[in-house]
Amino acid sequence: MKPIEDYAEIPPLLAGYFRRGVRTNHFLSAADHQADIAAKNLYCHTWPGGLLLIRQREGYRRLYFFITDPKSLPTLDFGGIAVTEIPSRPRDGEDGELFQFWRRIGFERTLERLRLQCSGEAVEAAARIPAPPLPIRRATAADSAALGRLYAECFDPYFGCIPNQEERNRALAGGQIFCAEGETGGLCGLIGTSPPPYNEIRHLAVAGDRRGKGVASALVRHYLMAARPKKGLVWTGARNEAAIRLYENCGYSGDGWKSTVFMRKEESR
């Protein structure tokens, strides 16, 4: 596993993998890579069958792959807990070569997500439906610590893609997080989105004592009214019926894409 120390290493490293037939889950931006490099958190591993980009997160590693030959396995010590995610379309089938690839190197299928999307027309229709009155505003740097606590309360530390402080601060500077204020002060909810033009909801969180009171719906509708996306996306747990119903009520519907999370736990010693 080799550390990546300069962003100039990235383009030539990836250049040979952007071609037909290469399996990948890479969707990171240049800003993501630059932040990881600055924090000394980005590594790579190559072998005859492909390339792994490895992001060191708090307590685990997240893997992004370019696989040219699923029958060729990497020889790599993952050093503890590692997580990767495989996106798939309906025609890809339920259990293809990539699933077998990750199983053979010790990963277990852990979670499934569904992708939902909405059109501009659906956004406009949903935005006209009244939401519960609630103070919602763009979050600022002063909210960073409170947001961090809310992320930690509501999302799994390994599967929730929780932004670290640097990523949170970048999202705040870009106006990508809205927050809801509780009746007695403090934050009771947040919605975090991707930077334009992708219009993806990345996180939706409501404090435990405020769930079931319309906070999540108000946050989604506020975001839709503020962004007015021509096309919006969100991923949510395949078994999270409440979240799926919420997004459907806000104009989203499943488009057939799924994502399967695989995890490798540290072996007992």
Side-chain angles (χ1 to χ4, degrees):
M1 190 168 72
K2 173 183 176 296
I4 297 177
E5 299 175 343
D6 191 313
Y7 181 74
E9 298 175 48
I10 296 287
L13 182 66
L14 303 187
Y17 294 99
F18 289 113
R19 66 178 192 271
R20 183 182 293 275
V22 177
R23 320 286 185 86
T24 183
N25 66 344
H26 183 271
F27 57 84
L28 299 174
S29 68
D32 291 324
H33 287 319
Q34 288 163 349
D36 283 335
I37 292 168
K40 302 185 184 303
N41 285 337
L42 187 63
Y43 303 83
C44 69
H45 176 74
T46 58
W47 78 103
L51 162 72
L52 291 177
L53 285 179
I54 303 160
R55 302 178 82 193
Q56 182 65 55
R57 314 301 287 169
E58 188 173 348
Y60 74 105
R61 289 172 173 167
R62 193 162 186 92
L63 311 181
Y64 298 85
F65 57 79
F66 294 85
I67 296 176
T68 57
D69 180 6
K71 295 181 176 61
S72 172
L73 304 181
T75 55
L76 176 66
D77 179 2
F78 291 99
I81 295 174
V83 174
T84 193
E85 198 158 348
I86 304 175
S88 59
R89 301 157 294 185
R91 68 172 181 262
D92 294 330
E94 290 293 324
D95 197 356
E97 285 185 312
L98 279 183
F99 286 31
Q100 298 301 325
F101 171 90
W102 290 104
R103 287 195 185 102
R104 287 200 296 271
I105 55 176
F107 284 71
E108 296 181 2
R109 185 173 180 168
T110 306
L111 177 71
E112 285 193 349
R113 308 186 210 269
L114 301 178
R115 194 176 79 171
L116 297 89
Q117 64 173 293
C118 65
S119 64
E121 293 80 4
V123 168
E124 293 296 331
R128 289 194 292 269
I129 300 174
L134 186 70
I136 297 176
R137 58 176 174 81
R138 286 191 191 273
T140 69
D143 300 308
S144 183
L147 291 169
R149 291 191 292 271
L150 196 52
Y151 278 115
E153 174 190 343
C154 298
F155 294 99
D156 184 278
Y158 304 123
F159 312 136
C161 301
I162 298 175
N164 60 31
Q165 185 172 340
E166 171 61 28
E167 292 164 337
R168 196 162 66 240
N169 290 342
R170 275 195 288 138
L172 288 168
Q176 295 160 223
I177 304 177
F178 291 94
C179 60
E181 297 180 341
E183 297 171 355
T184 58
L187 303 186
C188 67
L190 69 86
I191 186 167
T193 67
S194 63
Y198 303 105
N199 299 314
E200 178 181 347
I201 296 175
R202 290 185 171 172
H203 293 93
L204 177 63
V206 177
D209 61 348
R210 293 301 305 273
R211 292 174 189 165
K213 299 182 179 180
V215 176
S217 175
L219 283 163
V220 174
R221 295 187 195 284
H222 185 95
Y223 160 68
L224 292 176
M225 292 177 68
R228 286 292 199 275
K230 293 182 179 178
K231 178 181 178 181
L233 296 174
V234 65
W235 290 88
T236 192
R239 296 185 179 182
N240 192 340
E241 295 179 2
I244 294 170
R245 185 164 57 250
L246 163 70
Y247 288 120
E248 288 176 341
N249 289 340
C250 291
Y252 289 79
S253 60
D255 63 3
W257 276 84
K258 292 196 313 182
S259 186
T260 305
V261 178
F262 278 78
M263 181 178 187
R264 182 183 187 276
K265 297 181 180 179
E266 184 174 10
E267 296 181 2
S268 58
R269 300 183 184 277

